[in-house]
């Protein structure tokens, strides 16, 4: 269970398993309840089957592990899955298909706002795959936990992750070769450091009440994330104002 200690907008600073959230987790060490994975763009019948099987398998799972919120692109199925898993006693949730949601601004907004407003405030939301420049926005949407899977994936591709974007090392000479280890292990270490830095940056801005400023700066680096912020402001002002202090 997540103990919330501070809100800055919908973002939450809290305590989770002796860690201060938002925080980065080793994706390979996160225990996930057995589920029925399903791509994002599928017919509704397949998405319904995925939700049914996920809930069925979760009945025998460890309630301390991550339960997966499936439902593909269908918002009502996502909510059904989340609510049924919560009824079973789960309090930690992995949002499936985040890589696809990040490319669909309106879907991401509707999905995350509705899930965050539906599940218990003390339930944690986990994203297993995202880049560092997505973290401020996802934190602002109420995500608490971030997996480091993208760090290794991009290291394999020879891509350096930074707080503002991604750079293939064979195309962008950002640092002198003698000062940079562009091997897999070197990039993996660098990418994890970038993700850790951004999470610490998010925490600092939350404590100072300035997370929105950071979110706007990071969203400016991507058309998709800027679209998310504009849709969020236009369609869900109540969600934002609910935890925003008035001065």
């Amino acid at each position: 269970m997540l103990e919330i200690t501070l809100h800055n907008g919908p973002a939450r600073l809290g305590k989770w398993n002796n860690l201060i959230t938002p925080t980065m987790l080793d994706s390979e060490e996160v225990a996930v309840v057995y589920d029925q994975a399903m791509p994002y763009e599928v017919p509704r019948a397949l998405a319904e089957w995925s939700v049914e099987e996920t809930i069925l398998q979760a009945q025998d799972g460890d309630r301390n592990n991550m339960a997966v919120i499936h439902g593909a692109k269908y918002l009502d199925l996502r909510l059904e899955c989340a609510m049924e898993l919560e009824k079973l006693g789960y309090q930690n949730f992995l949002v499936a298909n985040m890589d696809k949601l990040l490319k669909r601004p309106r879907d991401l907004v509707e999905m995350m706002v509705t899930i965050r407003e539906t599940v218990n405030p003390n339930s944690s939301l986990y994203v297993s795959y995202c880049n560092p420049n997505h973290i401020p926005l996802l934190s602002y949407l109420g995500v608490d936990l971030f997996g480091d899977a993208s760090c290794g994936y991009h290291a394999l591709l020879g891509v350096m992750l930074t707080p503002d974007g991604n750079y293939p090392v064979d195309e962008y000479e950002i640092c002198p070769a003698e000062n940079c280890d562009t091997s897999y292990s070197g990039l993996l270490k660098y990418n994890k450091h970038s993700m850790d830095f951004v999470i610490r940056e998010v925490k600092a801005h939350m404590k100072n009440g300035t997370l929105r400023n950071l979110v706007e700066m990071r969203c400016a680096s991507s058309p998709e994330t800027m679209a998310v912020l504009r849709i969020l402001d236009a369609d869900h002002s109540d969600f934002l104002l609910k935890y925003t202090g008035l001065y």
Side-chain angles (χ1 to χ4, degrees):
M1 183 178 72
L2 178 73
E3 178 186 346
I4 302 170
T5 58
L6 175 70
H7 271 284
N8 185 201
R12 306 113 58 78
L13 195 71
K15 297 178 181 178
W16 181 86
N17 288 1
N18 298 317
L19 299 172
I20 303 299
T21 64
T23 193
M24 180 173 69
L25 303 179
D26 185 331
S27 296
E28 294 185 356
E29 295 184 0
V30 175
V32 178
V33 178
Y34 286 116
D35 66 303
Q36 181 56 60
M38 186 61 57
Y40 189 76
E41 292 284 352
V42 296
R44 185 178 177 89
L46 285 177
E48 291 175 343
W49 174 74
S50 170
V51 169
E52 292 171 1
E53 288 297 311
T54 294
I55 294 170
L56 181 63
Q57 294 185 57
Q59 292 177 2
D60 297 322
D62 185 336
R63 272 39 175 188
N64 294 315
N65 292 348
M66 291 286 173
V68 186
I69 299 177
H70 280 297
K73 62 182 178 181
Y74 305 97
L75 180 58
D76 61 319
L77 294 181
R78 293 273 186 158
L79 295 184
E80 176 188 344
C81 190
M83 290 187 291
E84 290 300 318
L85 290 171
E86 202 163 48
K87 287 179 184 178
L88 291 174
Y90 290 97
Q91 296 178 316
N92 303 303
F93 300 103
L94 188 162
V95 181
N97 311 116
M98 183 54 66
D99 57 329
K100 298 295 187 287
L101 284 168
L102 286 166
K103 297 177 182 178
R104 295 165 172 79
R106 186 166 296 280
D107 287 6
L108 175 63
V109 171
E110 297 303 324
M111 199 79 71
M112 295 308 299
V113 170
T114 308
I115 290 174
R116 185 68 278 172
E117 291 282 79
T118 300
V119 300
N120 189 302
N122 297 111
S123 293
S124 67
L125 293 183
Y126 170 56
V127 169
S128 60
Y129 182 96
C130 71
N131 296 333
N133 61 315
H134 295 137
I135 290 175
L137 176 62
L138 290 173
S139 295
Y140 195 55
L141 287 168
V143 176
D144 309 290
L145 309 169
F146 298 90
D148 63 357
S150 70
C151 298
Y153 173 76
H154 283 95
L156 282 171
L157 297 178
V159 175
M160 178 182 292
L161 302 182
T162 76
D164 294 303
N166 307 340
Y167 296 95
V169 295
D170 59 351
E171 298 177 24
Y172 293 87
E173 296 181 4
I174 295 176
C175 59
E178 61 272 17
N179 296 331
C180 291
D181 179 1
T182 57
S183 66
Y184 169 76
S185 60
L187 285 175
L188 176 62
K189 181 178 179 180
Y190 185 94
N191 292 346
K192 286 187 176 184
H193 181 270
S194 291
M195 183 169 283
D196 177 67
F197 172 81
V198 171
I199 289 175
R200 287 186 284 112
E201 189 179 32
V202 166
K203 290 177 183 176
H205 275 274
M206 288 177 65
K207 291 176 182 177
N208 284 282
T210 57
L211 180 60
R212 173 69 190 217
N213 296 344
L214 178 64
V215 171
E216 290 181 0
M217 286 190 293
R218 291 290 182 264
C219 284
S221 66
S222 162
E224 289 88 358
T225 52
M226 182 56 74
V228 170
L229 193 58
R230 288 173 177 166
I231 294 168
L232 187 61
D233 287 343
D235 297 351
H236 294 284
S237 58
D238 290 346
F239 174 72
L240 298 178
L241 293 174
K242 185 175 181 180
Y243 300 107
T244 300
L246 300 177
Y247 301 95

